[in-house]
Amino acid sequence: MNIPVARDKFRRFLTQKGLRVTNQRLAIFDAALAQTEHFTAERLLDFARAIDDSVSRATVYRTLPIMVESALLREVDIGTGEKYYHPNEEGSTTQVAQVVCLDCDKIFEISAPFMGWYGNTVSSKLGLTPVSQRLQVSARCDTLRLTGSCPRRN
Amino acid sequence: MNIPVARDKFRRFLTQKGLRVTNQRLAIFDAALAQTEHFTAERLLDFARAIDDSVSRATVYRTLPIMVESALLREVDIGTGEKYYHPNEEGSTTQVAQVVCLDCDKIFEISAPFMGWYGNTVSSKLGLTPVSQRLQVSARCDTLRLTGSCPRRN
DNA sequence: TTGTGTGCAAAATGTTTGCAAATCA
DNA sequence: TGATTTGCAAACATTTTGCACACAA
């Protein structure tokens, strides 16, 4: 999904929710959608400020949940204290797992269609209805271990 | 595994690591192992202080990673800002998933043996070696939704 | 005896919030 | 116009750390 189309979706989402379309929100949105890798709130602040230097940290933190709710952005919590975000691909109903390299700090997203089935099975046994699922694998880089340097590192 | 046996394992673990067996560490350990539900660092501090009131918050935070490394305790991060802990059952090589009820705040642990297979498969494709995996399902209570009250609540 | 472990309080981290001023509808 | 949104800085919550004293080996 290209950025102008996505931006339009976001504008519509805001309006429909009774929220205002502000320059800051658009700057933060554009900055977020331009990313190809996972990013944190702090890095998004930098990117957004490059577009509109009036953007503040508070507004980034206030805008992130809105973008996540609009389903144009996905939140990824890998248990490192800070949350990561990533633009959501089209047709985002697919379940994805994250493989996090402890050496590179890179996050790889892998489809894991069985997650939905597992969540349903297991939840219904407990009298619960699943809301969301996450599957994460932490791993170490083989190349780094064997050769002392990781091709993906920086 | 009963507590005296586990405590012995912990003493041996400390000694073997060149760490000292202190009253505080033992109090924190006993408090942790006595729990049947998941607990946070803060709650563990309370429990440990009931055994030895000289225990400080800092020591709890410093002891938790040691107990996790000894494999007698398991760390569970459900993405709520604070970490949860749980005594590890015997033969803890089994992979477990957590089902977290968003209504009860209860954490259920369910065996998920396929996790190991998935982690290996997916990691090796990326040239990585898996270190750990986690699978979590967030869910809502059916009974609460249907009847307005949850039998597990408090 | 001596170096590890401790309690305390302060720092660090990532995120949230109160408030007056700015701005979108 | 008037309610929403903003930036700023202070507040927050959890965890970590520096330091002087205590204590296990």
Side-chain angles (χ1 to χ4, degrees):
Chain A
M1 180 158 47
N2 58 44
I3 297 190
V5 170
R7 190 195 291 137
D8 249 42
K9 278 199 181 179
F10 186 55
R11 296 184 97 112
R12 249 177 287 129
F13 179 82
L14 289 175
T15 309
Q16 171 219 319
K17 280 265 167 185
L19 299 171
R20 293 182 181 170
V21 178
T22 66
N23 287 333
Q24 288 88 342
R25 281 175 177 162
L26 289 179
I28 294 167
F29 180 81
D30 284 358
L33 265 279
Q35 302 312 309
T36 55
E37 309 231 321
H38 293 74
F39 56 89
T40 61
E42 197 62 27
R43 280 177 69 77
L44 181 55
L45 174 61
D46 291 338
F47 296 136
R49 277 188 167 155
I51 298 173
D52 177 344
D53 66 1
S54 81
V55 169
S56 73
R57 179 172 290 106
T59 301
V60 168
Y61 276 104
R62 286 189 276 233
T63 304
L64 277 168
I66 298 174
M67 295 193 293
V68 170
E69 202 198 329
S70 82
L72 290 160
L73 204 65
R74 192 148 35 86
E75 191 180 274
V76 179
D77 179 350
I78 59 166
T80 48
E82 59 197 342
K83 284 176 182 158
Y84 285 81
Y85 297 87
H86 195 272
N88 220 349
E89 295 80 38
E90 193 113 37
S92 58
T93 37
T94 326
Q95 301 274 6
V96 292
Q98 285 88 38
V99 182
V100 182
C101 178
L102 301 170
D103 298 314
C104 313
D105 284 329
K106 273 220 159 38
I107 304 174
F108 304 93
E109 305 236 344
I110 315 279
S111 133
F114 61 87
M115 268 170 70
W117 161 81
Y118 179 80
N120 283 322
T121 307
V122 125
S123 297
S124 67
K125 279 189 190 153
L126 294 166
L128 301 169
T129 301
V131 172
S132 66
Q133 275 136 111
R134 56 174 177 161
L135 171 54
Q136 278 157 19
V137 181
S138 298
R140 294 234 166 250
C141 178
D142 294 337
T143 312
L144 179 65
R145 180 163 35 78
L146 296 172
T147 71
S149 89
C150 171
R152 288 185 281 250
R153 198 97 172 242
N154 289 340
Chain B
M1 178 159 47
N2 58 45
I3 298 189
V5 170
R7 190 195 291 137
D8 249 42
K9 279 199 182 181
F10 186 55
R11 296 183 97 112
R12 248 178 286 129
F13 179 82
L14 289 174
T15 307
Q16 173 219 316
K17 280 267 169 186
L19 300 170
R20 293 181 180 173
V21 178
T22 65
N23 287 332
Q24 287 89 342
R25 280 174 177 163
L26 289 179
I28 294 167
F29 179 81
D30 284 358
L33 265 278
Q35 304 311 310
T36 56
E37 308 230 321
H38 292 73
F39 56 89
T40 61
E42 197 61 27
R43 282 177 67 77
L44 181 56
L45 173 61
D46 292 339
F47 296 135
R49 277 188 166 155
I51 298 172
D52 177 344
D53 65 2
S54 80
V55 169
S56 73
R57 180 172 290 105
T59 300
V60 167
Y61 276 106
R62 286 189 274 232
T63 304
L64 278 168
I66 298 174
M67 296 194 292
V68 169
E69 203 199 329
S70 82
L72 291 159
L73 205 66
R74 192 147 33 86
E75 191 179 274
V76 179
D77 179 349
I78 59 167
T80 49
E82 62 198 339
K83 284 175 180 157
Y84 285 81
Y85 296 87
H86 194 271
N88 219 349
E89 293 82 39
E90 193 113 36
S92 58
T93 38
T94 327
Q95 301 273 5
V96 293
Q98 284 88 40
V99 182
V100 181
C101 178
L102 300 170
D103 298 313
C104 313
D105 283 328
K106 272 220 163 32
I107 304 173
F108 304 93
E109 304 236 345
I110 315 281
S111 131
F114 61 86
M115 268 169 72
W117 162 80
Y118 179 79
N120 282 324
T121 306
V122 124
S123 297
S124 67
K125 278 188 192 153
L126 295 166
L128 301 168
T129 301
V131 172
S132 67
Q133 277 136 109
R134 55 173 179 166
L135 172 54
Q136 278 157 17
V137 181
S138 299
R140 294 234 166 250
C141 178
D142 294 338
T143 313
L144 179 65
R145 180 163 37 78
L146 296 172
T147 71
S149 89
C150 170
R152 287 186 282 250
R153 198 96 171 244
N154 287 342

